[in-house]
Every structure is written in structure tokens, then in C-alpha cells.
Amino acid sequence: MIHIVRYYLSQHPSVVNFRWSHSQSWGNTWFFLFTSIAAYVIFSLFLHLFLCLLFRNRRPLPLGPIPAVHSLSMVLISLTIFTGILLSAAAEIRETRWFWRRNKTTAFQWLLCFPLGTRPSGRVFFWSYIFYLSRFLHTLRTFFSILRRRRLSFFQLFNHSILIFMSFLWLEFSQSFQVLAILFTTLLYSAVYGYRFWTAIGLPSACFPFVVSCQILLLGCHVVCHVGVLLLHFMKGGCNGIGAWLFNSVLNAAILFLFLNFYVKVHLKNRNGVKET
């Protein structure tokens, strides 16, 4: 069983021979990126305004098992991506170790800093592409919030849009640090969506804002890794995709600020007896 999993997640020809290109990858153009994000924002605004005009009493619409199924699906997808990129990174490290020894580079340094000239092809970029596609499924949470609570948050729109945009940049510019970012994100998102599935089927929720705490922990890990990329960039003579990394850092800083602001609000609500949803 282990050999079968390893083959399909890191040795299959479609994984090994992956290349981020217009002919082989769906959704890899700038036009598609901006069009899809704009469509997501516009449709969210339209749905929110339409429901507010149609149902003035703000009663939630029943969604049945749909949120629970979505959460369970995201758990499975996140775990698959985590396992796939972990096995793929291990295979890449094993196959290129001889080259790194000659250049005095360690595996951890490679995880943080891709060598200059790295192209978006191969195992880890295949799973980076799958991660990019999974971000579109992640946006369904916005529509669940609108339908159930008639609530449309600017932070939610901004966060989901930026996640799609950043994952596109990782592929387009072969950006350094993306392997660790995907590992951290999929691992914590497995816990987040597992918790959402737990509460969606009627089991008791945590006594603290579990989801927000996980998201702040994730952003904290990203900040530490961003510092590591910056240090290696100057110490090793450059990391690939540093321009995209710089833009990524600014976006992460903005998201971290919004998360901290949201965390304070949630904490104050919990102190007043309002449970997290």
C-alpha cells in the first residue's frame, strides 16, 4: 500500500513530467486569474444584495449537509496535497543531493530558497498547481456565509482572493519557499476543516476561537520562513522568484494585520458569551 501511494503521489508520469505552461495547465493565464477573482467578488456581492432584498428578515437559508460535505472534502484534498508534496519534495531531495553537496546547499535551504533559474516543472510544482486549483474550492465558504448568515465580510473576500493570487505567483515565477508554505497551509487547513466538519455534524465546538487561532499560527510560520528566505537570498547569492516573494510578503503582512484585528474582535465576542461558528 505504501509503495502504491508513493507511486501515484510522487512517481506517476503525470506528476514527474508536469510543466506549468499554456498548453498543459488549465487556468495558468493572467486573464484567467483576474477574471476568476473578479467573478468571485462580483457574484458574492450580487448574492449578498439579492438575498438582503429578497429576505429582509435575515433568516438563514437551510443548506443541509452541504457545508459538512464541503469541509470533509477539503480535509481529504488538503491531506492528499500535504502527502503528495511531502513525498515529492523527499524524492527531489534524494535525486539531487549530489548537486547540492557540490554547491554546499542543504535540503532545508532548498525548501526555503530555490536556486536561480528554477523552472516550474516537476513533482513539487505539480502539487503546487493542485494547491492553486484547490483555492477555488476554498471560496465556497464565502457563499455558505452569505446564505446562512447574510454576512459578507471584506476580510473574507480579500483573504480568499489573495490566496488564489499568491498561489498563482508561486507557479508563474517559480517562487522560493512555496514547498514549506504549502506543507504548513495544508496541514493546518486539514485541522481547520476537520473542526468545521466536527461542528457541522452537531458535535460540540471548542471553548476558544479554534479556526482563527490556527490561521494566526499559520501566518506566524509564514513570517518566520519569510525571514529565512531573505537571509538566504543575501547569503547564497539570490533566491529564485524574489520579486514575487517580496510582493507575497507585503500581502501576507496585510492578511496578518487583518487576522489580528479579527482575532481581537472574536476574542471580545467570546468573552461576552458568543460562540465561534
Side-chain angles (χ1 to χ4, degrees), residues 181-208:
I182 294 172
L183 285 172
F184 290 145
T185 302
T186 52
L187 182 61
L188 281 174
Y189 269 54
S190 298
V192 166
Y193 278 103
Y195 172 78
R196 285 171 172 164
F197 174 74
W198 175 274
T199 56
I201 61 177
L203 295 173
S205 60
C207 59
F208 64 97

Side-chain angles (χ1 to χ4, degrees), residues 64-110:
I66 294 177
V69 171
H70 175 261
S71 296
L72 181 60
S73 300
M74 291 302 298
V75 170
L76 298 176
I77 291 171
S78 297
L79 288 176
T80 302
I81 296 174
F82 174 84
T83 306
I85 198 167
L86 183 64
L87 293 175
S88 296
E92 292 289 341
I93 291 170
R94 188 168 54 249
E95 294 177 4
T96 56
R97 187 175 298 167
W98 62 271
F99 177 76
W100 295 345
R101 287 175 180 173
R102 190 173 64 183
N103 290 273
K104 298 181 179 179
T105 301
T106 65
F108 182 72
Q109 290 173 345
W110 175 77

Side-chain angles (χ1 to χ4, degrees), residues 45-219:
L45 292 171
F46 170 78
L47 182 63
H48 177 66
L49 293 175
F50 176 76
L51 290 177
C52 287
L53 292 175
L54 188 63
F55 302 100
R56 295 183 179 275
N57 56 5
R58 291 183 174 269
R59 292 180 59 185
L61 295 178
L63 298 180
I66 294 177
V69 171
H70 175 261
S71 296
L72 181 60
S73 300
M74 291 302 298
V75 170
L76 298 176
I77 291 171
S78 297
L79 288 176
T80 302
I81 296 174
F82 174 84
T83 306
I85 198 167
L86 183 64
L87 293 175
S88 296
E92 292 289 341
I93 291 170
R94 188 168 54 249
E95 294 177 4
T96 56
R97 187 175 298 167
W98 62 271
F99 177 76
W100 295 345
R101 287 175 180 173
R102 190 173 64 183
N103 290 273
K104 298 181 179 179
T105 301
T106 65
F108 182 72
Q109 290 173 345
W110 175 77
L111 290 173
L112 283 174
C113 179
F114 286 156
L116 295 175
T118 299
R119 301 298 180 187
S121 61
R123 298 180 179 91
V124 296
F125 289 100
F126 171 84
W127 289 109
S128 181
Y129 175 60
I130 300 300
F131 178 82
Y132 163 63
L133 296 181
S134 72
R135 297 303 88 196
F136 293 99
L137 294 177
H138 183 60
T139 61
L140 293 177
R141 292 287 309 177
T142 302
F143 307 128
F144 296 158
S145 297
I146 295 173
L147 291 171
R148 288 194 299 186
R149 296 190 290 270
R150 305 291 191 278
R151 187 175 67 187
L152 180 60
S153 168
F154 166 78
F155 166 73
Q156 196 171 41
L157 287 177
F158 178 79
N159 184 44
H160 289 176
S161 300
I162 291 305
L163 286 174
I164 296 173
F165 189 75
M166 288 193 303
S167 58
F168 179 89
L169 292 181
W170 292 351
L171 288 158
E172 185 70 14
F173 297 100
S174 304
Q175 184 187 310
S176 298
F177 156 69
Q178 63 179 279
V179 176
L180 285 179
I182 294 172
L183 285 172
F184 290 145
T185 302
T186 52
L187 182 61
L188 281 174
Y189 269 54
S190 298
V192 166
Y193 278 103
Y195 172 78
R196 285 171 172 164
F197 174 74
W198 175 274
T199 56
I201 61 177
L203 295 173
S205 60
C207 59
F208 64 97
F210 179 83
V211 173
V212 178
S213 300
C214 286
Q215 290 167 333
I216 288 189
L217 176 62
L218 174 62
L219 287 170

